[in-house]
Amino acid sequence: MNGVSLIQFLIHEQRKTPLAKGGFTLLLNDIASACKAISHAVHRGALAGNLGLAGSENIQGEVQKQLDVITNQIFIKALEWTGHVAALASEENDEIIQIPSAYPKGKYLVCFDPLDGSSNVDLNMSVGTIFSILRAPEGVATPSTEDFLQAGVNQVCAGFCIYGPSTIMVLTTGNGVNGFTLDGDIGEFILTHPNLRIPPDTAEFAINMSNQRFWEEPVRRYVNECVKGVDGGREKNFNMRWIAAMVAEVYRILTRGGIFMYPYDTKDPGKEGKLRLMYEANPMSFIIEQAGGASSTGRQRILHIPPKSIHQRVPVILGSKNEVERIVNYHR
Ligand code: AHG
Ligand code: MN
Ligand code: MN
């Protein structure tokens, strides 16, 4: 299947389910359109006056960049009118987003982070878009926030698009993970990274070391051992990366293995973690598990967490399976 376009790939997958009517394929095509437009807005950058602050804060109390707002609008506009979505939930909106009454509704709920790693955007470093697709409960015409609060194992599909030197879309529908590179000349995502697999072992970790003094003992122990390498009892020396964009960390792990942690810390006692369950932790955990990796809070498999609120934050430890298991063991 190398060289085929995303839409051809999706139609091929759809034909494996004879009863499928194509709504899901068309929804993913809408998401791909949104990501192409976002890629364009991000790459135009200062030429389009898109950099810098928006002068507002989101529900999470984070200062919004202009591109947080622009990309959120692009994503909503691309999905709200085509009839495949029942409602949307965005990291940037206080409340869930209902479909305007002028448009038909579909059966899917979409949670998304329109611009992940937005602190990177003015630095010309990688950023991305993350999305998670759930089914709306049967017979529900106007979904409520509660309808979104489904555990990650219920996801029908998860994906992200990374805007780096290339624009790459990574997708899972629960049958492995595939990567598609945007060919700007023809405006199509092309399957370039079929069946991405994460090696079970790694010698590379990613964590924001400036939070060290706020970590719990198990994470402190694990990172200390990585830093000491062969002198501290590990069988190898470790390398470290921190890109401050989860999309880029996860893409690196899908490419060459590794472990990424934004663990529980006591920096802000009101917060259970930094990353958001519905827009970041769940979709990335689904992708990582489907590529043969593991994902946990340290105490619980992320995909099993029953969500309590739409903007809930959770600790995240994900990547190469044997290293995640080691850290989970340190928490026992
Ligand atoms: P967002 O830009 O959507 O708010 O997400 C940023 C997240 C995540 O992508 C990244 O791993 C982490 O925040 C970086 O946090 P620090 O700035 O604390 O390192
Ligand atoms: Mn994010
Ligand atoms: Mn974001």
Side-chain angles (χ1 to χ4, degrees):
M1 290 275 291
N2 234 337
V4 307
S5 70
L6 173 63
I7 191 73
Q8 286 172 321
F9 175 88
L10 292 170
I11 290 171
H12 183 82
E13 291 295 302
Q14 182 191 320
R15 286 180 183 155
K16 292 181 190 164
T17 313
L19 290 178
K21 296 196 197 82
F24 177 72
T25 300
L26 292 170
L27 168 58
L28 277 177
N29 197 46
D30 292 345
I31 292 176
S33 299
C35 291
K36 286 180 211 171
I38 292 174
S39 179
H40 184 69
V42 166
H43 287 135
R44 289 280 294 161
L47 294 174
N50 285 347
L51 301 187
L53 299 176
S56 48
E57 266 190 13
N58 66 12
I59 181 81
Q60 337 260 346
E62 293 162 345
V63 175
Q64 287 178 307
K65 297 275 163 105
Q66 279 204 72
L67 273 167
D68 284 318
V69 177
I70 294 167
T71 56
N72 194 38
Q73 277 309 312
I74 292 174
F75 202 93
I76 295 167
K77 290 286 162 231
L79 267 67
E80 70 178 3
W81 68 280
T82 53
H84 310 302
V85 172
L88 297 151
S90 166
E91 181 187 276
E92 301 299 336
N93 289 62
D94 303 10
E95 307 289 339
I96 62 166
I97 303 155
Q98 297 292 350
I99 303 304
S101 56
Y103 307 132
K105 283 184 201 170
K107 56 184 178 188
Y108 296 104
L109 303 174
V110 180
C111 302
F112 66 102
D113 174 358
L115 194 64
D116 176 64
S118 58
S119 73
N120 276 356
V121 81
D122 292 347
L123 315 182
N124 201 29
M125 287 165 65
S126 291
V127 289
T129 300
I130 311 173
F131 58 90
S132 159
I133 305 179
L134 296 159
R135 252 187 255 293
E138 204 73 47
V140 170
T142 306
S144 64
T145 304
E146 285 63 44
D147 294 326
F148 279 86
L149 303 181
Q150 306 180 34
V153 285
N154 286 357
Q155 291 171 101
V156 179
C157 170
F160 66 87
C161 191
I162 178 167
Y163 315 111
S166 302
T167 290
I168 298 178
M169 170 89 77
V170 172
L171 265 189
T172 185
T173 53
N175 186 22
V177 180
N178 292 286
F180 303 82
T181 304
L182 180 62
D183 183 338
D185 292 339
I186 57 169
E188 293 267 21
F189 283 101
I190 305 293
L191 180 62
T192 45
H193 297 69
N195 193 24
L196 287 159
R197 301 296 300 168
I198 300 171
D201 292 299
T202 183
E204 194 162 65
F205 70 100
I207 192 163
N208 184 336
M209 291 290 281
S210 70
N211 295 325
Q212 192 162 20
R213 68 190 186 283
F214 304 111
W215 299 337
E216 293 185 300
E217 186 47 36
V219 170
R220 221 183 271 262
R221 173 182 170 193
Y222 175 78
V223 173
N224 278 341
E225 288 174 0
C226 289
V227 170
K228 290 193 181 124
V230 290
D231 297 335
R234 291 296 309 247
E235 66 295 349
K236 55 196 168 189
N237 291 322
F238 280 72
N239 182 30
M240 199 208 84
R241 285 284 186 280
W242 187 251
I243 307 176
M246 193 187 197
V247 281
E249 318 278 5
V250 168
Y251 189 73
R252 184 185 63 253
I253 291 171
L254 289 166
T255 307
R256 66 181 188 202
I259 179 143
F260 165 86
M261 290 164 278
Y262 217 117
Y264 174 77
D265 66 42
T266 56
K267 194 172 174 182
D268 180 348
K271 288 182 185 162
E272 269 187 77
K274 157 114 190 194
L275 299 173
R276 273 89 9 160
L277 177 61
M278 304 305 288
Y279 322 110
E280 294 170 321
N282 268 343
M284 292 311 206
S285 299
F286 189 21
I287 292 166
I288 290 284
E289 286 196 5
Q290 281 293 315
S295 180
S296 171
T297 62
R299 297 183 165 87
Q300 187 180 16
R301 185 179 163 208
I302 286 180
L303 293 181
H304 275 163
I305 298 174
K308 290 182 293 224
S309 65
I310 195 83
H311 295 297
Q312 181 174 350
R313 296 173 188 260
V314 291
V316 175
I317 297 168
L318 58 75
S320 291
K321 204 173 193 147
N322 292 339
E323 293 298 306
V324 174
E325 277 171 12
R326 177 185 281 264
I327 304 174
V328 169
N329 278 330
Y330 288 2
H331 280 81
R332 288 212 172 102

